[in-house]
Every structure is written in C-alpha cells, then in structure tokens.
Amino acid sequence: MKKKSRAYKVYRYVKHYVNSFLLLELLSGLRLTGKYFFKKKMTVQFPEEMTPLSPRFRGLLALRRYPNGEERCIACKLCEAVCPALAITIESEPRLDGSRRTTRYDIDMFKCINCGLCEESCPVDSIVVTPIHHYHISERGQNIMTKDKLLAVGDLMEKQLASDREADKKFR
Amino acid sequence: MFQDISILLWIIIKILVIVLPLLLVVAYLTYAERKVIAYIQSRIGPNRVGYKGLLQPFADLIKLISKEIIVPAQSNKYLFITAPLLALAPALAGWAVIPFSEGVVLSNINAGVLYLFSLSSLGVYGVLIAGWASNSKYAMFGALRSAAQAVSYEIAMGFSLVGVLLASGSMNLTEIVNSQQGGIVHWWFIPLLPLFFIFWIAGIAETNRAPFDLAEGESEIVAGFHVEYSGVGFALFFMSEYTSMVLISALLALLFMGGWLSPFEGMPGLEGIFFVVPGFVWFFAKIAFFLFVYLWIRATFPRYRYDQLMRLGWKVLIPATIIWLIVTALMVLGHVKPWFSLVTI
C-alpha cells in the first residue's frame, strides 16, 4: 500500500474542517430534499384512483359460461384434485339431456389461497380468477361461494375475463 | 381604581391580540409541517378535511380535546398535570417582548433579550417535570436527555446572543433591530455569520426539534418525555413545541435578519417599490422562512445520537462561539465597520 504523504494528510485534515464548518454536506442534503419538494407526487388517492392491475391478477374466483349461455364446467373435478387448500367441493350427476354437470360447486373462501391452480388445471376455462379484490365476508356462511354465486360473478365480469385471457393468451 | 382596571383590560386585550393569532399560526404550522414533509417525501399530505385539508388542524384539535386524559396510577399527579402548562407558559410569555414593528410591542423592556433567554430555558422545566412525574422509564430517559441537551446548548446560544449584544450595544429588541438599519447588507447575520448559524442550530436543539429531537426519539424511547400523556396534556406539549419554534424563528429574524426592516433599504429603485410594504409583513416573511427551514431540516436529517449531540455542543459550537465572540469584541473595540454600527452610540 502506498503511504500517504504528510501534505496529503494535512490537506485531508483541512478539507474535513472546511467541509464541516461550512456545513457543505448538510447543504447538499438540503438541496436533494429541496429538489424532491417540487417533484411529482407518487400518492395514489385510493378510493378515487387505483393502481393498475395486471391481467394475471388473482382475485375472487368465478365460473364462466359459453357465449350461448351454457355453463362451461363439465365436473371433471381436476380443480378439486389440484386445489392445495382443499377449498373446492364438487358433486355431480348426469343432467336430463345426458351431459355431465355439477350439482354442487362450493369454494370455501376461508381456505382458498388464491393460487390460481384451479384455473390452470381447468380444461374448459370454466373456473377462473377475476381481478376483483375488494370484497369482504361479513357473516359466517358467506365464505362459501356456491355455484350460483360463482356463475353470477362470471356473468358480471365476462367481458373483462375474456379480454384479460386474450391479452395473456400467448404466454399460456 | 377605574383607571387601573381599564389599563389592565387594555393589557389583556393586547395579550389576546398577540396570543390568539399565534395559536392560529401554531395550528397551521402543524398543517404546514405535515404538508412540507409529505411533499419532500413525494406524498401529498393531508387533503381530506376541508379544501386541500385546510381544516385538518381543527380536526386534530377536536380529536385531542375529546380524548380521555389518562393519569398513570404511580405518577405524581400534581406535577403530571402542571408540567404541560409549565412547558406552554414560557413559550407564550416570550411573545411579550417581541416587537412586531417599530413600537408595536406589548412591553418594551430594556432587558428583552435576557428575558427571552431565561424564558426559553424555563421551557425545559416542563419537559423535565413531565418526564419525572410520569414515573415511566422512557419518560425519564427523555427528560434526562432533554436536561443534558439544555445545559450544553444554552451556553452556545447565550454566547451567540452576547455577540449580537456587543455589536448592537443594547439588550432592547427594538434597539437591536434599529441598529441593523440600512438594507440587507447591514443585518447582523453577515458580520456575525458563525454566531447566526450557531444560534440557529442551538435554537433547533432548544426547541427539541429534529435532528436534535432525541428527547422524544420515537424509535428508541417511544415518545420520550410525553409517553404517558394523552388528550389535552399531549396537545399542550405539542403547542408549546410549535410556539417555541415560532418564537425562536422570530428571535432569529429580530437579532440577525433585521426584524421588520426591509431588505432593500438604501437601494435606489427597489427601496421605492417596496416602500409600501409595511414592516410587519417583512417580519412575518422572515419568520415564515425560518419556520420553513425548520421543517425542511426535519425532513432531511436523521436524528443525532446522544454522544454526537454532546460532542457538537461542547466541542464544536461553544469553542466556535467563543472565538467569534472575541473577534466581534475586538472589532467593536476598534470601531471596525460592519461589526460596529454608529446608530446605537
């Protein structure tokens, strides 16, 4: 290591004193914060404004229908099998026209961990995650999303669900 | 008899005319603080109560007043209740000698500077008593820190005041301001620059503001001396802190920045344009500037550690003041120009 010369040490010493007595470092700190005073503000005013959501956002679950109004779910129970939290309960029997349909499709929102594996496993894109994330459960029993409720959410969000899936299509 | 009462009433009216606007200023200083710090942190600050959040101080006030006053079981109740009043009273009483403009002063006493200095030191007793009376370890720590801080910063503050007294040759605040006549170049902050900064730093320390707010350091000792206070007691401490901030800013403006004097005095052209601006507008503008810097500093610097605070006080500020005091004294003795003003002789 090169030994610092005596003159350099004195220079450093003097520089340190000049710096600290002229408050130079404090002034540069004040200049930085002063700049931020005039910068654009980051705040998102929540109830009026929202942060942008990804089309992959995993919120409330929903069941979709085909454009002709027929429900997509064919009661294959893959989602029930894949669900890591065991949140899905499905019962099924053949409908009058012979097609296999669910008679019961319950998701327990207390168990659901919003992992989205059910959507990935679904062969007919029936069970999907929606971007809805402002919901609450105020009473016991409301945590069970029944088939009717899930279909209703799907109907409500169908337009956005379709466009989100279209946007994300090439990555699936 | 009747005359005595009328004089008393007249004084009370004058006091109210000073104190009520002062409290309004204090209320809006809290709002300004939240806004300025928010802006510096890229936030927008309170904006829900009233237009742009302008009614926020009153919402806070109503909240604090309607809260329960909790007196800890093991505390010294008498002192616990007295402490916030002891903190607020000196901060308000100091305004008695502050001249707002030529002759506009409640009591024009000759030892004004001395009076203010003693009152600003008295404010510490409220903090000390609060910390002791709460019978809580964090409050005690806060009070101890505050005591140590007061002892070490008052010396530097006092010495820097002595510099101003030497230069202006008076302890009367009105005369000190008048000795700075002649535009911005004649204000004492130029010949007494080191003392100006030291007084400023010591003033920040004296009011327990960031970066010297370790008497109430939230992160280490919760809230320091006022941990146990709630509701009105807390509000009083808050008010005393902000009132002394305004007081120190006013002092800075009076002692070093020419009080109500226009900065453009003696400059051809500009002097004529700004002649219409009344003196107290200049005074308030200077106070507002110092208050803004208070908030700016709070948003910028991290809190001093206790030993750093002591080091700065004893090993930097006090020697620096003494050196500049000697320089000032010699200059005044030798009648050298910027330090020696003819006005007071």
Side-chain angles (χ1 to χ4, degrees), chain B residues 145 152 313 327:
Chain B
R145 286 178 177 196
S152 40
V327 171

Side-chain angles (χ1 to χ4, degrees), chain A residues 106-123:
Chain A
D106 287 352
I107 296 174
D108 187 343
M109 297 311 289
F110 284 169
K111 293 182 184 169
C112 176
I113 55 170
N114 293 68
C115 64
L117 287 180
C118 44
E119 174 174 355
E120 278 179 43
S121 69
C122 189

Side-chain angles (χ1 to χ4, degrees), chain B residues 190-234:
Chain B
I190 292 175
L192 305 177
L193 192 66
L195 297 184
F196 169 61
F197 277 109
I198 286 164
F199 188 83
W200 202 347
I201 293 168
I204 293 171
E206 191 79 2
T207 44
N208 283 331
R209 293 288 301 178
F212 304 103
D213 59 344
L214 72 183
E216 53 167 290
E218 297 96 344
S219 48
E220 322 117 58
I221 50 172
V222 204
F225 62 91
H226 58 54
V227 221
E228 306 292 344
Y229 282 88
S230 63
V232 178
F234 177 74

